[in-house]
Amino acid sequence: MTMHREAIDQIPDEVDGVVIGGGPAGATVATLVALEGHSVAIFEREQFPRFHIGESLMPETYGTFQKLGFLERLRESASPVKGSVQFVSASGKESRPFYFFERNDHESSYTWQVDRAWFDSALLDNAVEKGAHAFTGTGVREVIFEGKGAVGVRVDDDGPESDGGHTIRSRVVVDASGQSSLIARRLGIRRKEPRLVKASVFTHYENGLRDEGIDGGATIIIHTAENRGWFWYIPLSENRVSVGVVSDPKTLFAGDATPEEVLEREISECAWMTNRLRKARKLMPARVLSDFSYRASRCAGDGWVLVGDAFGFLDPIYSSGVFLALKSGELAAERINEALRHDDCSAARLDGFGTVLMSGMEAIRKLVFAFYTPGFSFANFIREHPEHRERLTDILIGDVFKDGVMDIFDDMKAFCDLPDSVPLETSATGSAPGGQPLLRS
């Protein structure tokens, strides 16, 4: 596997694009911009490989993987093939699986359950092979703004005079820093979803029971006792499964319970999970992720772009995180390449991909709200409206950027309280919600 660490003095003081973060979003945009012949430097504060949660892919990642030249690595990997999603009620009743091939008989109807340590590192390897420079273990201290635009970054420097860091100027700065959201936080444009305040506790197990045949790689979503929350159950390579529980933080950590105690309690109260894990061995301490539904009010400005979790993150119920990271990186790269060709990295040139990205995110977002509506059941909804089964499967596979995908919600809103769509601010508005300036020098 490629070593990503390069010495700071090996990179020019000025490049076409700086990418903050080497995860899936950052690696995607860097690869696609480098393939156009532009100079790109990726700065990732952690050393790779590193653990990360979010192992389940959506089938619609296929197109982006094809553009990245990454499909063969996935085919040759030990990653289990994912062909469906299944839901289990709190009583243990299993739904009929939503098989992706029923909507598409092409190989793109199948995807993978990936070990993120391997997957993220392999994507970064791919970016390096395609011409990007990558610096792991090198954090970005700050994004440099001049006037109203971003012009570069200041990064950590291991040299003897490192207090001031190392400055690199760039025509475009791409924030792919994940939930750190460096630019969105600095500009005050990050907005939480107040109705989706959740936390998760998760770990990996060895020897968890899994289904056979076509269902062996399925993502399974299980309601917890009394529908307080839900579990994910995701098969991985080497006979491992990723297991996590998601619920309201006050419910999960009532009585100051530790993460280990929370996970053990929730599993013990779920007969389906107890049966699956009866012979399993936990491989690492339980970890916690909280407060994870948010979105920036803009996706770009003069000289800067937000992709992946740095732009926004939706509740993980449908495993949309990596899909939206890859897609946002792909869409942003198209705008960046055009901007660099025209020597115009203004907000007006860069922010055009946001409308497309948000159209797909809104479909997934509304489906998240439907899932959390007390008493709502996808099975009951499909019984009432069988004509929407295919459209529901479309959203579950990530086919959310085509005309008509939102039609399902015209009927679904009679079953649950769905949120209004929230439009993005654009370069023409000049301010974020509340009248705050979008850019600060």
Side-chain angles (χ1 to χ4, degrees):
M1 191 164 284
T2 303
M3 295 296 291
H4 309 301
R5 187 72 165 96
E6 298 185 38
I8 289 292
D9 58 9
Q10 291 180 330
I11 198 73
D13 290 335
E14 187 169 341
V15 292
D16 294 321
V18 160
V19 179
I20 309 170
T28 296
V29 69
T31 301
L32 297 176
V33 172
L35 282 171
E36 289 292 307
H38 304 299
S39 56
V40 184
I42 307 167
F43 295 99
E44 166 58 52
R45 66 183 178 184
E46 296 186 55
Q47 294 286 1
F48 277 32
R50 52 93 169 97
F51 174 84
H52 204 286
I53 200 64
E55 301 95 343
S56 190
L57 305 182
M58 281 179 149
E60 284 295 305
T61 55
Y62 182 93
T64 308
F65 289 141
Q66 198 168 40
K67 292 181 179 180
L68 294 173
F70 195 72
L71 281 171
E72 200 57 37
R73 292 197 193 205
L74 286 164
R75 295 187 185 113
E76 294 175 351
S77 74
S79 304
V81 174
K82 172 185 172 183
S84 63
V85 174
Q86 187 175 25
F87 296 89
V88 180
S89 70
S91 66
K93 183 178 180 181
E94 298 180 353
S95 73
R96 177 179 177 270
F98 289 87
Y99 291 113
F100 307 144
F101 65 81
E102 292 179 340
R103 289 295 293 134
N104 177 14
D105 60 3
H106 188 264
E107 69 168 348
S108 59
S109 63
Y110 295 90
T111 189
W112 294 269
Q113 312 281 23
V114 297
D115 182 322
R116 286 290 301 275
W118 167 82
F119 176 76
D120 289 12
S121 194
L123 276 175
L124 192 56
D125 284 348
N126 188 61
V128 172
E129 291 164 9
K130 299 298 192 295
H133 296 273
F135 301 82
T136 56
T138 306
V140 171
R141 295 188 179 188
E142 66 173 317
V143 178
I144 302 169
F145 286 89
E146 292 181 359
K148 65 173 186 173
V151 297
V153 296
R154 188 166 291 111
V155 303
D156 291 332
D157 187 338
D158 295 333
E161 299 178 2
S162 61
D163 289 347
H166 187 98
T167 298
I168 298 174
R169 297 186 70 85
S170 175
R171 296 162 73 189
V172 179
V173 176
V174 179
D175 188 352
S177 63
Q179 296 196 14
S180 297
S181 303
L182 292 181
I183 290 179
R185 289 181 188 274
R186 171 176 174 171
L187 303 182
I189 59 173
R190 179 163 143 153
R191 305 287 179 259
K192 294 182 180 180
E193 286 272 13
R195 291 169 56 190
L196 290 177
V197 178
K198 306 291 179 183
S200 64
V201 183
F202 52 88
T203 189
H204 285 179
Y205 287 87
E206 184 179 52
N207 294 326
L209 185 65
R210 64 178 72 188
D211 295 321
E212 297 181 353
I214 193 174
D215 298 321
T219 291
I220 306 176
I221 303 300
I222 310 98
H223 286 273
T224 61
E226 302 177 359
N227 288 320
R228 295 190 304 261
W230 59 276
F231 290 99
W232 72 71
Y233 194 89
I234 297 171
L236 300 174
S237 62
E238 300 176 346
N239 201 25
R240 293 170 299 134
V241 291
S242 174
V243 172
V245 62
V246 178
S247 188
D248 179 272
K250 294 179 181 178
T251 299
L252 282 180
F253 298 103
D256 296 324
T258 67
E260 304 291 342
E261 292 168 340
V262 167
L263 198 55
E264 291 175 6
R265 179 194 69 217
E266 294 296 328
I267 290 173
S268 70
E269 295 178 358
C270 178
W272 192 96
M273 289 293 295
T274 300
N275 179 59
R276 289 274 170 147
L277 296 174
R278 67 182 185 277
K279 296 181 179 180
R281 178 176 67 92
K282 189 164 62 176
L283 296 175
M284 63 184 187
R287 305 189 185 204
V288 177
L289 183 65
S290 61
D291 198 18
F292 44 55
S293 290
Y294 60 87
R295 199 206 73 190
S297 60
R298 291 191 64 184
C299 66
D302 289 338
W304 59 268
V305 170
L306 310 180
V307 295
D309 292 358
F311 169 68
F313 184 76
L314 291 171
D315 186 280
I317 179 65
Y318 303 119
S319 305
S320 61
V322 173
F323 165 66
L324 291 172
L326 294 169
K327 195 64 182 181
S328 65
E330 177 188 346
L331 293 171
E334 293 174 358
R335 302 300 295 186
I336 292 168
N337 285 329
E338 180 184 338
L340 292 174
R341 283 195 301 270
H342 289 85
D343 195 24
D344 175 14
C345 295
S346 65
R349 177 75 70 172
L350 291 172
D351 71 6
F353 74 95
T355 301
V356 177
L357 179 63
M358 279 308 304
S359 67
M361 288 187 72
E362 280 294 343
I364 300 171
R365 174 174 174 260
K366 289 182 187 299
L367 211 63
V368 168
F369 273 86
F371 177 86
Y372 282 115
T373 298
F376 176 79
S377 163
F378 285 115
N380 291 339
F381 173 72
I382 293 300
R383 275 194 291 271
E384 290 282 337
H385 293 281
E387 71 277 14
H388 287 314
R389 183 177 181 86
E390 290 185 350
R391 188 64 77 208
L392 178 57
T393 304
D394 283 342
I395 300 174
L396 293 175
I397 69 176
D399 193 7
V400 292
F401 296 102
K402 63 185 180 182
D403 292 340
V405 75
M406 300 289 284
D407 294 349
I408 187 174
F409 300 112
D410 292 337
D411 289 320
M412 191 177 287
K413 64 186 179 184
F415 291 73
C416 50
D417 182 17
L418 298 178
D420 293 332
S421 297
V422 181
L424 282 174
E425 298 285 336
T426 68
S427 57
T429 63
S431 65
Q436 298 178 355
L438 285 170
L439 293 170
R440 302 169 186 168
S441 59

